[in-house]
């Protein structure tokens, strides 16, 4: 399994491959389309990520001291972003997420690609991931 830093680097390389902003958006949307199916019973207030313009649900599970996430959104770009975050941070030891530097995600240059509202949503998703990890540590 790639490290968190290496996963972020991989996504950066994927995004940097596209010169056009619309192609980058299409890449994000495609990530959401390729997401694992999300059980409807988890679409509850308990799993909503507050601070997102769209509705985003993020559900943790822990097994053998490793945390996994599944997620969904009612908006294509948000679903793509939360799918990428789940891919980066799932399967990690809880302590690794608690101690991770979420500023690494800035390497993806989302501040250039995303509107301020969407950037705030991504920040809220990352905060929720860390909050879940802290609650299990």
């Amino acid at each position: 399994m790639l490290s968190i830093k290496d996963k972020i680097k991989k996504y950066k390389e994927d995004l940097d491959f596209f010169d056009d902003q619309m192609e980058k958006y299409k890449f994000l949307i495609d990530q959401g389309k390729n997401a694992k199916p999300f059980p409807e019973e988890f679409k509850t207030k308990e799993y909503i990520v507050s601070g997102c313009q769209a509705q985003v649900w993020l559900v943790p599970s822990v097994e053998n001291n490793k945390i996994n996430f599944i997620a969904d959104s009612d908006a294509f770009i948000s679903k793509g972003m939360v799918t990428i975050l789940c891919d980066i941070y799932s399967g990690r030891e809880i302590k690794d997420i608690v101690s991770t530097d979420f500023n690494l995600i800035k390497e993806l240059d989302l501040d250039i690609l995303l509107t301020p509202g969407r950037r705030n949503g991504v920040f809220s998703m990352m905060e929720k991931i860390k909050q879940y990890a802290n609650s299990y540590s």
Side-chain angles (χ1 to χ4, degrees):
M1 174 186 272
L2 294 175
S3 69
I4 290 172
K5 189 171 188 162
D6 287 340
K7 279 253 185 172
I8 291 170
K9 183 179 176 188
K10 177 195 161 299
Y11 279 111
K12 171 145 178 60
E13 289 169 357
D14 290 345
L15 284 165
D16 285 349
F17 176 78
F18 303 106
D19 294 327
D20 181 64
Q21 295 292 83
M22 293 309 293
E23 290 294 318
K24 291 181 185 197
Y25 278 122
K26 185 178 179 321
F27 173 80
L28 293 178
I29 291 168
D30 287 345
Q31 298 310 300
K33 286 180 182 176
N34 296 327
K36 295 175 187 168
F38 188 83
E40 286 294 315
E41 65 263 21
F42 290 129
K43 289 188 177 180
T44 64
K45 282 186 201 176
E46 178 182 358
Y47 298 112
I48 282 274
V49 178
S50 59
C52 296
Q53 291 176 323
Q55 286 192 300
V56 176
W57 298 271
L58 183 64
V59 180
S61 63
V62 174
E63 190 175 322
N64 298 326
N65 206 36
K66 292 187 177 180
I67 193 164
N68 290 291
F69 299 97
I70 58 170
D72 198 10
S73 177
D74 62 358
F76 292 123
I77 292 174
S78 295
K79 184 170 181 166
M81 281 308 311
V82 76
T83 300
I84 288 171
L85 293 175
C86 287
D87 182 49
I88 292 170
Y89 295 106
S90 283
R92 308 289 173 187
E93 290 194 22
I94 294 167
K95 66 179 176 55
D96 293 338
I97 293 177
V98 169
S99 65
T100 195
D101 178 5
F102 278 121
N103 284 323
L104 287 174
I105 208 82
K106 287 182 179 176
E107 291 181 20
L108 295 179
D109 293 329
L110 297 177
D111 51 331
I112 298 166
L113 181 61
L114 300 178
T115 62
R118 286 194 178 117
R119 280 195 309 267
N120 288 342
V122 171
F123 178 76
S124 295
M125 295 171 202
M126 292 187 302
E127 284 293 308
K128 191 72 167 173
I129 287 169
K130 192 163 233 175
Q131 180 185 355
Y132 280 137
N134 280 323
S135 73
Y136 289 114
S137 64

